[in-house]
Amino acid sequence: ATAAEMSGLTKTARRLGATTSFSASQAAQGMQFLGQAGFKTNQIIAAMPGVLDIAKAGSLELGRAADIASDILSGFGLRAAEMGRVGDVLTKTFISSNTNLEMLGESMKFVGPIASKVGVSLETVAAAAGLLGNVGIKATMAGTSLRAILLRLSAPTGAAAAHLRSLGVATRDSAGRFLGMTPILEKLAAATTGLGNAARLGAFKRIFGEEAAAAAVQLVKQAGSGGLQPFIEKLENARGTANR
């Protein structure tokens, strides 16, 4: 950073120290973590208020909160100025489900890069992670399961593709674009309603693989019963949650 940029960082740290429950030196520590994550000076200044809100809301040490938040921003390809959105979505998720900030951070680390590639929003993934947390599928387990679900739906091969065809469930349009996680889960719920419980589980194992089948069962159930969509909408309207 140039001398002028260093001056800007210093002024920001002092302002945050004076206007939040964190000290200026703690704010500077958060800045250091963002810098180590590759953030430029102006990005650090834009992101820091959101990082402080995330740390306070999630009762986490500031450096750890900065680490989690920067990973999620990068994984989802979001701008530094969207740190507030990340904090609001994560906070609304963990106060509305059986998860916490650390668990959500672990989940997002695995699924974020895939979700961003196929156009699945932060809010949709967070809602899915929260609902999985309610049935004990959390942290790394939730993240790897969601990653497998998105991979199997966006680019199905072999038995998975054949079984989706047999159920009449398309996952891509004529141009090869992914149709979205929620709409596909809703279609799967409708297509498997008439199956017995064992046959239904067998179908999900063939489509999603053995490891992700349990998570898929829960998400299809929530999508079919109308539990997933309202949660996504709640997170889309979470602005200001972390600050409050």
Side-chain angles (χ1 to χ4, degrees):
T2 64
E5 288 171 334
M6 287 300 295
S7 176
L9 289 173
T10 300
K11 288 177 182 177
T12 300
R14 288 177 175 162
R15 175 175 57 80
L16 293 171
T19 57
T20 73
S21 60
F22 294 95
S23 68
S25 59
Q26 287 175 316
Q29 180 196 26
M31 290 177 170
Q32 178 185 353
F33 277 92
L34 292 179
Q36 289 171 333
F39 282 55
K40 304 301 182 186
T41 307
N42 61 331
Q43 294 175 320
I44 292 172
I45 291 172
M48 274 307 298
V51 170
L52 295 184
D53 284 344
I54 293 170
K56 192 69 175 180
S59 300
L60 273 188
E61 186 267 330
L62 189 53
R64 179 62 183 138
D67 188 30
I68 290 172
S70 63
D71 284 348
I72 292 172
L73 270 183
S74 300
F76 279 88
L78 302 176
R79 295 174 291 109
E82 294 182 87
M83 185 67 83
R85 172 190 171 193
V86 170
D88 290 335
V89 170
L90 294 180
T91 303
K92 193 69 171 181
T93 302
F94 72 68
I95 65 175
S96 306
S97 62
N98 190 11
T99 55
N100 60 36
L101 183 55
E102 283 270 16
M103 291 175 183
L104 288 173
E106 277 298 302
S107 298
M108 296 298 183
K109 180 170 67 177
F110 288 94
V111 69
I114 298 299
S116 68
K117 291 293 185 296
V118 294
V120 177
S121 70
L122 169 67
E123 290 80 2
T124 298
V125 175
L131 291 173
L132 290 179
N134 289 342
V135 294
I137 303 173
K138 307 177 184 183
T140 300
M141 186 185 300
T144 54
S145 294
L146 283 168
R147 180 177 64 186
I149 287 169
L150 285 179
L151 285 170
R152 291 293 186 107
L153 290 180
S154 61
T157 59
H163 208 70
L164 285 166
R165 281 196 300 272
S166 73
L167 291 171
V169 176
T171 64
R172 292 180 284 189
D173 64 17
S174 58
R177 290 183 294 260
F178 186 50
L179 294 175
M181 185 174 80
T182 306
I184 295 170
L185 293 178
E186 290 173 343
K187 290 175 184 175
L188 273 172
T192 57
T193 298
L195 299 179
N197 55 5
R200 204 165 192 244
L201 182 57
F204 291 148
K205 283 175 66 177
R206 285 189 289 275
I207 295 170
F208 299 106
E210 193 156 337
E211 294 299 322
V217 167
Q218 176 64 12
L219 292 180
V220 170
K221 174 185 174 183
Q222 290 292 336
S225 66
L228 177 59
Q229 299 85 337
F231 200 177
I232 295 171
E233 290 172 12
K234 181 191 291 189
L235 299 184
E236 288 172 342
N237 293 289
R239 187 171 181 177
T241 301
N243 187 264
R244 285 194 297 274

